[in-house]
Amino acid sequence: MLFRSSEQTIAARLERLPYSGWHITITAILGVAIFFDSFDSLAIAYVLPVLVRDWHIAPHSIGLLISSANFGQALGALTFGWIAERIGRVSTARIAIGIFAVMSLACAATHSYDQLIVCRFLQGIGLGGEIPVASTYISEILRADRRGGRFLTYQIIFPVGLLMSGVIGASVVPRFGWQWMFIIGALPGIVALVMQRFCPESPRWLASQGRLGEADVIMSEIESA
């Protein structure tokens, strides 16, 4: 009963928090991550016309290149959800963001169809892993009465990233080359570093793991902020 009561106390403290600049900062950081998640997901569409011409990619191979990232995303969503339950939300999100940022640079450095398809698959693992973990983290730090509206605002960022992928692709690829779409897509690597400084682990998750002392320390820091 002591453990259940203490876990409930952590949840109650989160529910008592007024919506503040701390919440806005966390949401903004993760919003940048999901923006680039959607940006990187669609970047291949604006790169393909050039690659088909330069690498002489056969029509039947185009679909496989596009779907390779989708296969990776499905695997990432399943795998990283499991990992997040074991090592925490923030650590898992940082790993996922780091993977798709690094693999975006790797995509820019490829010189063949085979290399790109492997890099896109690996990038997809990070892309698919980031969204469910970051979404869970957001829902766990928000009060119940704020969760629906703020979470919807957070999710709206995804189609904005898709839109900007088209806008940037139409401008960047003809002028600077297709590699720059992937170089831009690596920018969320900075987010992974920023998260270490500004995003504490979810107190709800810590409490559910019996790490009540850590949860209490983080809650005290959040309440002070």
Side-chain angles (χ1 to χ4, degrees):
M1 285 300 295
L2 180 60
F3 172 77
R4 284 180 56 83
S5 177
S6 299
E7 185 176 348
Q8 291 169 356
T9 300
I10 294 296
R13 290 169 70 182
L14 277 167
E15 290 297 322
R16 286 197 297 268
L17 289 176
Y19 192 75
S20 65
W22 181 84
H23 294 91
I24 294 172
T25 299
I26 299 296
T27 306
I29 291 171
L30 293 176
V32 172
I34 199 171
F35 172 89
F36 279 101
D37 196 306
S38 61
F39 179 93
D40 286 348
S41 296
L42 198 59
I44 191 67
Y46 303 98
V47 166
L48 264 176
V50 178
L51 297 184
V52 169
R53 181 196 66 205
D54 294 349
W55 291 358
H56 309 291
I57 300 174
H60 65 271
S61 298
I62 296 175
L64 184 59
L65 180 57
I66 294 174
S67 61
S68 61
N70 296 331
F71 289 134
Q73 286 175 316
L75 179 61
L78 293 172
T79 304
F80 277 83
W82 178 84
I83 295 173
E85 290 299 323
R86 281 149 184 82
I87 70 171
R89 317 306 192 198
V90 174
S91 296
T92 304
R94 290 181 64 217
I95 292 171
I97 293 169
I99 288 174
F100 80 72
V102 170
M103 293 315 302
S104 189
L105 285 178
C107 287
T110 57
H111 298 286
S112 69
Y113 171 86
D114 292 337
Q115 291 175 358
L116 183 57
I117 200 170
V118 171
C119 289
R120 280 290 290 174
F121 171 75
L122 295 175
Q123 184 185 31
I125 293 175
L127 293 171
E130 183 266 336
I131 291 179
V133 176
S135 299
T136 300
Y137 179 67
I138 286 289
S139 68
E140 288 181 349
I141 64 172
L142 290 174
R143 285 169 38 168
D145 61 347
R146 294 271 186 172
R147 198 170 295 153
R150 302 304 175 186
F151 191 74
L152 178 61
T153 302
Y154 170 69
Q155 290 297 318
I156 288 174
I157 299 173
F158 192 88
V160 173
L162 297 177
L163 174 64
M164 291 307 299
S165 182
V167 172
I168 294 173
S171 175
V172 168
V173 174
R175 296 181 182 180
F176 305 105
W178 62 268
Q179 292 91 343
W180 277 95
M181 280 297 286
F182 291 120
I183 293 172
I184 294 172
L187 289 177
I190 300 172
V191 174
L193 299 176
V194 171
M195 286 182 69
Q196 185 176 11
R197 169 66 178 84
F198 292 100
C199 300
E201 186 52 77
S202 166
R204 292 184 197 268
W205 177 81
L206 288 170
S208 72
Q209 300 297 306
R211 295 162 62 176
L212 296 168
E214 295 175 65
D216 181 69
V217 170
I218 289 177
M219 279 306 310
S220 297
E221 293 174 352
I222 294 173
E223 288 163 345
S224 295

